[in-house]
Amino acid sequence: MAISAQLDPMVPRPFRIQRVKSETNDTFTLEVTPVEERDGFAFLPGQFNMLYVFGVGEVPISISSEPRNSPALWHTTRRVGAVTKAMGKLKRGDVIGIRGPFGGNWPVEEMAGRDCVIVAGGIGLAPLRPALVHLVGQREKYGKIVLLYGTRTPEDILFRSELERWRGKFDLEIQVTVDRGTPGWRGSVGVVTTLIGRAPFDPTNTVAITCGPEVMMRFAVSELQRRGVGSDRIYLSMERNMKCAVGFCGHCQYGPAFICKDGPVFRYDRIEPIFIKAEI
Ligand SMILES: Cc1cc2nc3c(=O)[nH]c(=O)nc-3n(C[C@H](O)[C@H](O)[C@H](O)COP(=O)(O)OP(=O)(O)OC[C@H]3O[C@@H](n4cnc5c(N)ncnc54)[C@H](O)[C@@H]3O)c2cc1C
């Protein structure tokens, strides 16, 4: 398998869609493999690719599969606009262009020996999934593993069967809450950040990772801090519009940083001064 550094980061390589899985009403996962074997690449949990729907446009999407010895990549995407809606119409056998992988990764090595808290909101579970799969796969290396996941409704829960399977292992804590219950929902109702105060972890020995809407991450950070998790042990993944993904164009500038090359995963203490300003 080639490694990304040997590939031109500005040239999309053709990948074929092997499977389209509908996850929820507005979210789907594309499983893709390189048309040419040499275009396969290794990646780390938390990294993203630029996906090019030919003739429509290119968007950043995180890799939601786990790094492993397979060239297949998953991208779990919510239909919001022109490109993601066109992507949602693609079928098995179609070809898309991929550049990547880009950006930094979740600190799965630093989490070893500590309690791991994962706070996800909506589609934010997709970029976190490779880290979770890594933690579960190497369970003995980690302390408690706590996933706190919030969605709008029960129908919006991603990777439901996988969450149920993990829950059945009894060695990780998975708590799900929804903004609005539906008839038949007997689970928790309320925003995900309300789960942090009661979650079972030792704040003095915890690394927390979070991804979701920015407002959710703001409240997640302050709840984690209130529990005593240090700012240098909280990581979050930021999103901004981006074009080049390699730090040239400046579209994703975030204070002195570029989200594409300095992020998207940031340690909180390193962005705190700009994160607390609402409109950067
Ligand atoms: C590093 C990174 C990783 C990402 N990973 C994923 C992922 O794994 N899965 C996924 O579904 N999306 C992900 N996104 C967001 C995704 O790139 C955007 O949803 C996409 O660019 C929208 O393009 P579009 O042409 O479909 O919509 P546009 O026409 O660009 O936008 C349509 C509408 O959606 C709104 N919108 C655009 N981007 C976002 C956004 N990021 N969040 C909320 N609303 C938005 C716009 O304001 C507009 O109202 C990621 C973004 C970044 C920067």
Side-chain angles (χ1 to χ4, degrees):
M1 213 189 309
I3 56 164
S4 56
Q6 294 164 329
L7 303 169
D8 184 335
M10 295 308 288
V11 178
R13 281 102 59 193
F15 276 64
R16 193 171 306 283
I17 296 170
Q18 300 297 346
R19 194 163 68 110
V20 182
K21 182 170 178 261
S22 172
E23 302 283 357
T24 68
N25 267 345
D26 62 4
T27 304
F28 57 94
T29 296
L30 297 184
E31 179 179 315
V32 299
T33 53
V35 171
E36 301 288 343
E37 202 183 327
R38 62 164 193 267
D39 285 337
F41 52 80
F43 66 94
L44 296 166
Q47 288 194 293
F48 69 94
N49 286 322
M50 296 298 289
L51 267 57
Y52 180 32
V53 182
F54 297 113
V56 184
E58 199 186 37
V59 289
I61 301 290
S62 303
I63 305 170
S64 59
S65 50
E66 59 273 26
R68 59 187 166 180
N69 287 336
S70 154
L73 301 170
W74 292 9
H75 295 92
T76 302
T77 306
R78 189 149 74 93
R79 292 181 205 96
V80 293
V83 180
T84 51
K85 283 180 184 165
M87 205 186 288
K89 292 185 182 142
L90 297 174
K91 302 268 179 304
R92 181 183 152 88
D94 288 345
V95 172
I96 58 169
I98 288 194
R99 297 191 290 125
F102 297 117
N105 55 288
W106 297 115
V108 290
E109 299 305 330
E110 188 198 327
M111 293 166 99
R114 296 179 184 269
D115 288 354
C116 308
V117 176
I118 298 106
V119 187
I123 186 74
L125 185 60
L128 287 162
R129 184 182 173 275
L132 255 166
V133 173
H134 177 97
L135 301 181
V136 173
Q138 304 198 19
R139 185 68 193 84
E140 66 288 350
K141 283 172 72 174
Y142 299 95
K144 290 191 179 120
I145 299 176
V146 180
L147 168 64
L148 309 175
Y149 179 37
T151 62
R152 286 169 297 184
T153 73
E155 279 78 41
D156 297 310
I157 297 170
L158 284 179
F159 311 127
R160 184 186 275 263
S161 55
E162 189 165 50
L163 295 183
E164 286 169 359
R165 185 159 46 79
W166 284 338
R167 227 180 203 171
K169 287 162 74 83
F170 303 115
D171 62 359
L172 63 162
E173 174 82 19
I174 297 182
Q175 296 183 15
V176 177
T177 185
V178 298
D179 296 342
R180 291 185 310 283
T182 47
W185 174 255
R186 296 284 174 270
S188 164
V189 176
V191 292
V192 66
T193 48
T194 58
L195 301 176
I196 295 172
R198 290 174 275 129
F201 61 88
D202 171 6
T204 63
N205 190 32
T206 287
V207 175
I209 60 180
T210 180
C211 185
E214 218 161 295
V215 60
M216 180 223 96
M217 293 197 289
R218 277 177 203 285
F219 282 102
V221 166
S222 48
E223 281 299 301
L224 288 161
Q225 289 176 322
R226 213 172 52 79
R227 283 282 307 261
V229 182
S231 299
D232 59 341
R233 282 181 286 109
I234 300 174
Y235 291 79
L236 36 83
S237 187
M238 297 296 297
E239 283 190 9
R240 285 291 182 276
N241 275 344
M242 55 178 69
K243 295 285 176 210
C244 75
V246 292
F248 286 145
C249 76
H251 265 82
C252 66
Q253 183 150 12
Y254 185 58
F258 287 136
I259 303 257
C260 63
K261 70 176 179 59
D262 304 309
V265 176
F266 289 95
R267 204 173 84 179
Y268 182 63
D269 59 336
R270 298 193 172 134
I271 55 163
E272 188 164 8
I274 41 177
F275 190 73
I276 53 178
K277 294 185 190 152
E279 293 296 332
I280 287 194

